[in-house]
Amino acid sequence: GMYRAMGQSSEVKASEKQTQSLLKSFLQGYIWREQFFSGAATVDEIAKAAGVNGNYVSRLINFSLISPKLAVD
């Protein structure tokens, strides 16, 4: 896909692997966000279940909150 950097007019071509990685991270963050905000689990509980640390879970939850104004072709 094509991505436009925030505040910049030039586009950057992402490889298919990079695009898939971004989408996977966004989706995982969205799933964890729903678990956290619904009260189903704490960040630490999510992290333990996923085998990662709480900082990683928090980063992906924050990533899932970014503006959908990414231009993807």
Side-chain angles (χ1 to χ4, degrees), residues 11-62:
E11 293 181 342
V12 177
K13 179 73 173 157
S15 71
E16 184 66 26
K17 184 176 180 178
Q18 289 169 323
T19 300
Q20 292 299 319
S21 180
L22 282 172
L23 291 174
K24 181 179 175 183
S25 295
F26 182 84
L27 180 59
Q28 186 62 68
Y30 178 83
I31 291 166
W32 288 343
R33 181 182 80 194
E34 293 300 307
Q35 291 174 344
F36 177 73
F37 286 120
S38 72
T42 66
V43 167
D44 289 334
E45 290 168 340
I46 294 167
K48 185 176 181 180
V52 297
N53 68 40
N55 289 333
Y56 181 71
V57 171
S58 294
R59 283 195 309 268
L60 287 192
I61 289 173
N62 287 334

